[in-house]
Amino acid sequence: MRVGLVGACLVGLLAVGCNESTKAPPSLTLTPSGTVNVLGPATFHAVAVATGGTVTWTLVGPGSLSATTGERVTYRPPAAPAANATATLTASSGGLSAVAHLALQPPPVAANIKIAGLAGAVEVRYDAQEVPHIRCTQAADCFAVQGYLHARDRLFQMDFLRRVATGRLAEMVGVLGLSQDVQLRTLFTTRSGQRLGDALAAHMEAPSKLVVEAYISGINARLAELRAAGGPIGGEYAQLPYPLTGADIPAWTVSDVMSFMRIQQYSLSSTLDEEIDFGRFAARYGTDLGKLSVWVRTAQVKSETSHTLTPAAPPIGINALRVAGAALAPQGPNLAAVAGPLDALAASLKGLRAALQPHDGSTGSNNWVVDAAHSVTGKAMVANDPHLSLQYPSNFHLAALTSSNAADNLDVTGGAFPGTPGAQVGRGKHVGWGVTVVGYDVTDVYQEQFLPPAMCGGFPYCVMFKGAPVNLIPVPLTFMVRTPAGLVNANALGLPASATPPAAALVVPHHGPIIQAPDAAGVGFSVRWTGHEEATQDLSAFLGLDTAANVDAAMAAVANWSTGAQNFVMADDAGHIGYSPHALVPKRPWAGTMPGTQPLLPWFPLPGNGSAEWGPTGNTDCAAAGTTQPPATCWIADADLPQGKDPVEGFFATANADPVGTTVTAPFGVPVDGNGNYLSYTWSDGTGFRHARISERLQALTAGNGKVSQADMESIQTDHASRLGAAFERYIVSMPPDDPANPYEQARSVLAAWKTGGFDCPSGLTGIDPKLSPVDTSAAAVGNSAGCYLFHVFVRELLTTVFADDLAVAGLGIDAQAAVKGMLHMLDNPPGSPAAADQSFCQNVDASGALVGDTSCEEQVKLALSTAYAGLFARHGLPTVGAWVWGRVHTFQPVSQFPMVTLGYEPGPFARPGGAFTVDVANPSLSGGGTSFAFGSSANVRHVSVMDPAAPVVRMQLPGPEVARPYGVTVGPDLLADWARNVYFTYAHGDQILNATVATQGFTP
């Protein structure tokens, strides 16, 4: 009946016409226009409305243009313009024109700046993108100047994130940050009861500490200038609830830098939220093995079978629990008794989850390396596009650091998070590298049984562990809050009891901090995370990469990386490539056993009674309070972790997926590698779509002794073909045909045309303005844009209809990755097939979980596709030229680190190609309703390097300016607009800056 009504709607709409259109008089606007003083390369933007043509550009006078057509163009002046030189730039479209008169200025030379402690003079040369190239005589001086420049260019960003990481945000933004401070101060407490940053600083090795001390000397030199200037700080600070001066910004410490690093690592490694949600799902559906096998499962999508490494032995598929070599019947965990405490825990962390979204390391990072033998130039190459939330300014700050002291071996070109020294993405003198999140399981949530105080030997709190009470460690907490009167102790604010911060955090010495206080039955929860280890040397890993002489040295350096596991891929200038996703991964020999009646599965909350401890036997205590770090025997040995060098295929590629193929098809066994080690259950992207696409393209390029070029590397990085679309289309095309007049068949014809176009997802526009950019009228763009748009509306409708009702019963929302895997798993294994999957998600249930509609998965697919087509038809009419345009709805808009900062720091929106799980990452929400497919996370840099020692090539994109300023205040190229258009710039490496300088600056002791 529903399809019939939709068909009737189509007839009615055809009678009156459905295309949305607006008529406006022709106009052409140029920004900037009039007389423009040009100090270096400058970007100009032309908006043509109803002119009937594209924008063309002409230049009269010295200099050059980056293009002659398009919305935007970059004017590049000559290196040494003559005195009083001028040029004229004209934009034309449809008989209209707009002019800018360019007054060329010589490159400026800034005054010297003093930083106490420098060993000698430091020169900084700026390129056309405002990227500083720091040249020093000692490495420490380069890091000191980098610290100054980070504080000068990105102070708000680094100050805000430092306060988040140290649990002092309320001292900046007032009571709005208090609850987050309480949660993070608790989470970032070690098992011995120390602040995590303090503990890491105390154990830092001397070489790394010297670098950090030099770096913070530069930061504090900039803060001293602000204090001397007095008065409120402008920029983003001006939009805070309370004005701040330089005196309100504490000096940076080594502990601050380490806290800053650890919160980034937390966002890239902790599975706290996932394990709580898995527990809540099991609390409702723990005895429903069918639902567990669909939702809580590890299998990569069947069609996406590629992995970074081919396992030494076939993956071990375990479909039942292991006990002393025997097998037990599959069984889910019985968590119904703790459903209430788990719900309370999830609610208490909801705000923190949202607050940490700017550091979100969710699905999307890609990297790969190609060896010399498979490269067009005979030189190895590396590509990387790490994925984080899109902030304005961007999360990364670019810089090059070169020391003339040969012993330093420092000649690095790349990007760093402001607040950390060196480069986390880029290339050194001899080695280039890329990073993506691995997704090892390094977090466990423990269900603690609190005992009555009478059993605690005079202490107020203790828990049962291995049959005996263990006292908790109280860690006193004091919270200060910014008010109109200055900083005030939170306890003096008169807050309601529910909002008053606790006087102390409680730590379980063998697990970690208590994250949910005990309920009336004494049930509470603690968390153990490898990031709580105190004696790790993570910074030395990146500093070692910055200066590594070859791939072997780079792999030795990343062996120091402990937390926030990264797929490190490396290429050196001798042509070698390597892969090493090193991190601390705990041994869990108990995983998959069943003591008593509870299976021990590490992706669910675990009993805290001592039966599920980290260690080589499961009984050894690897977490005694006061120890700095458990011994090496507590972790999976480095030799047993995935790694490799110079593979016969000629490349390594990663994209957050399972690197070795350990996934299994049911959630009741424990997936292990060829050595019997459990590494992970979910990975960071268990679908495999992006890795399969990258591998597909590299294999095609290298087949038959083929070679990969730099242009190929950039093309792969900006690839937006949808393997997700191809996976679903296979099921849609195999379904029986219907009445050709029905929306279902009309939708299938649109998807068939999309398949012919390779499932590509272009924006369908010639520019990046989602409202004003002209439509790309080429047949391929029209068909692919319409197909991509329809598919995303369809898959959102399908996943929401199938999963939202069942998940709501457990108090959960839709996780796109799990929903895609679950849906394809059900379609892969329909009723009657050898491995038929439970189809109950496809049935409709009410709020209590009672069945209200017995609908098959095939029927849900048909209904979702019909609904998607009908909805788009009602909104846009038939999918003709200019109608179903993906870029009108698929957009991004960067935001400030602090949501209250909006004026000038929320540019856009901008239209983008790509879509869900494409290599060029642009993942919109796949749940809910509506036709807005905005996304907020993507590549924070795009980097490609050719490791040629004689003529190195570094290509880069950055989604925002180097210097934090309101959008539209243009100095040099508009890097954010270039990023939106996938336009790279050539990043000068080493002495190449001598011919690319547009301004200079000096630093002296």
Side-chain angles (χ1 to χ4, degrees), residues 110 228 306 369 411 462 511 625 649 685 688 805 843 957 992:
S306 62
V369 282
D411 190 6
C462 64
H511 291 151
E649 296 85 359
D685 180 1
D805 52 350
Q843 299 168 338
Q957 294 181 32
Q992 292 172 342

Side-chain angles (χ1 to χ4, degrees), residues 614-711:
W614 295 0
T617 66
N619 296 317
T620 302
D621 188 355
C622 287
T627 59
T628 56
Q629 181 175 307
T633 55
C634 292
W635 315 113
I636 294 175
D638 183 61
D640 287 345
L641 293 174
Q643 57 191 285
K645 180 183 175 185
D646 293 335
V648 66
E649 296 85 359
F651 64 85
F652 287 119
T654 85
N656 312 118
D658 179 357
V660 290
T662 62
T663 54
V664 294
T665 57
F668 310 113
V670 178
V672 295
D673 64 12
N675 298 307
N677 294 311
Y678 163 69
L679 299 174
S680 184
Y681 186 68
T682 60
W683 301 104
S684 292
D685 180 1
T687 65
F689 289 113
R690 287 177 297 108
H691 183 266
R693 177 60 177 170
I694 295 167
S695 296
E696 175 187 24
R697 293 204 54 185
L698 288 172
Q699 287 166 0
L701 289 165
T702 56
N705 296 318
K707 310 289 184 183
V708 183
S709 69
Q710 171 200 319

Side-chain angles (χ1 to χ4, degrees), residues 224-551:
E225 292 178 353
L226 291 176
R227 294 189 190 103
I233 307 173
E236 295 115 306
Y237 282 100
Q239 298 185 43
L240 292 178
Y242 309 102
L244 298 184
T245 69
D248 296 314
I249 304 177
W252 274 63
T253 66
V254 175
S255 177
D256 287 338
V257 173
M258 302 315 295
S259 297
F260 187 95
M261 282 190 61
R262 221 38 153 205
I263 199 168
Q264 302 289 350
Q265 293 171 304
Y266 176 85
S267 69
L268 300 176
S269 69
S270 173
T271 55
L272 175 60
D273 291 328
E274 290 88 338
E275 297 197 9
I276 293 170
D277 285 349
F278 279 162
R280 297 173 69 201
F281 187 86
R284 175 60 181 82
Y285 296 114
T287 59
D288 188 338
L289 300 184
K291 272 192 164 56
L292 283 173
S293 69
V294 171
W295 188 253
V296 187
R297 64 187 299 272
T298 182
Q300 195 161 293
V301 174
K302 186 178 291 186
S303 61
E304 314 302 296
T305 56
S306 62
H307 304 285
T308 304
L309 298 174
T310 300
I316 300 174
I318 305 173
N319 293 315
L321 296 172
R322 295 177 294 149
V323 177
L328 298 177
Q331 180 174 337
N334 182 11
L335 296 175
V338 294
L342 280 171
D343 287 342
L345 175 57
S348 70
L349 294 176
K350 183 177 180 180
L352 180 61
R353 184 187 305 200
L356 290 182
Q357 181 64 27
H359 323 291
D360 180 21
S362 59
T363 299
S365 302
N366 310 298
N367 65 13
W368 62 94
V369 282
V370 177
D371 66 17
H374 294 80
S375 168
V376 166
T377 63
K379 309 298 178 184
M381 296 183 290
V382 58
N384 187 205
D385 50 297
H387 174 277
L388 296 164
S389 292
L390 291 167
Q391 309 297 144
Y392 187 85
S394 61
N395 284 302
F396 283 94
H397 183 276
L398 306 183
L401 293 80
T402 303
S403 171
S404 60
N405 183 351
D408 292 334
N409 200 33
L410 180 65
D411 190 6
V412 65
T413 301
F417 295 118
T420 56
Q424 285 87 60
V425 173
R427 59 157 297 164
K429 186 174 183 179
H430 300 290
V431 177
W433 69 91
V435 293
T436 69
V437 172
V438 183
Y440 294 138
D441 184 351
V442 296
T443 307
D444 278 327
V445 177
Y446 288 96
Q447 177 186 329
E448 305 287 355
Q449 182 60 57
F450 281 71
L451 299 174
M455 299 180 64
C456 299
F459 287 86
Y461 298 103
C462 64
V463 295
M464 181 64 72
F465 182 67
K466 295 185 178 180
V470 173
N471 293 323
L472 273 58
I473 302 171
V475 181
L477 299 174
T478 300
F479 296 91
M480 304 300 291
V481 179
R482 178 75 54 184
T483 72
L487 291 180
V488 175
N489 191 302
N491 291 325
L493 294 176
L495 298 171
S498 60
T500 300
L506 297 177
V507 178
V508 178
H510 44 276
H511 291 151
I514 291 290
I515 54 174
Q516 179 66 25
D519 64 2
V523 175
F525 291 94
S526 67
V527 61
R528 184 165 188 192
W529 167 53
T530 55
H532 287 137
E533 306 307 326
E534 300 177 8
T536 60
Q537 305 299 327
D538 302 79
L539 182 58
S540 66
F542 275 119
L543 295 177
L545 276 175
D546 291 350
T547 58
N550 50 46
V551 160

Side-chain angles (χ1 to χ4, degrees), residues 81-121:
N84 301 318
T86 62
T88 300
L89 177 65
T90 303
S92 303
S93 179
L96 302 179
S97 63
V99 177
H101 302 285
L102 313 182
L104 310 188
Q105 309 293 320
V109 178
N112 280 350
I113 294 173
K114 294 185 179 296
I115 298 179
L118 292 181

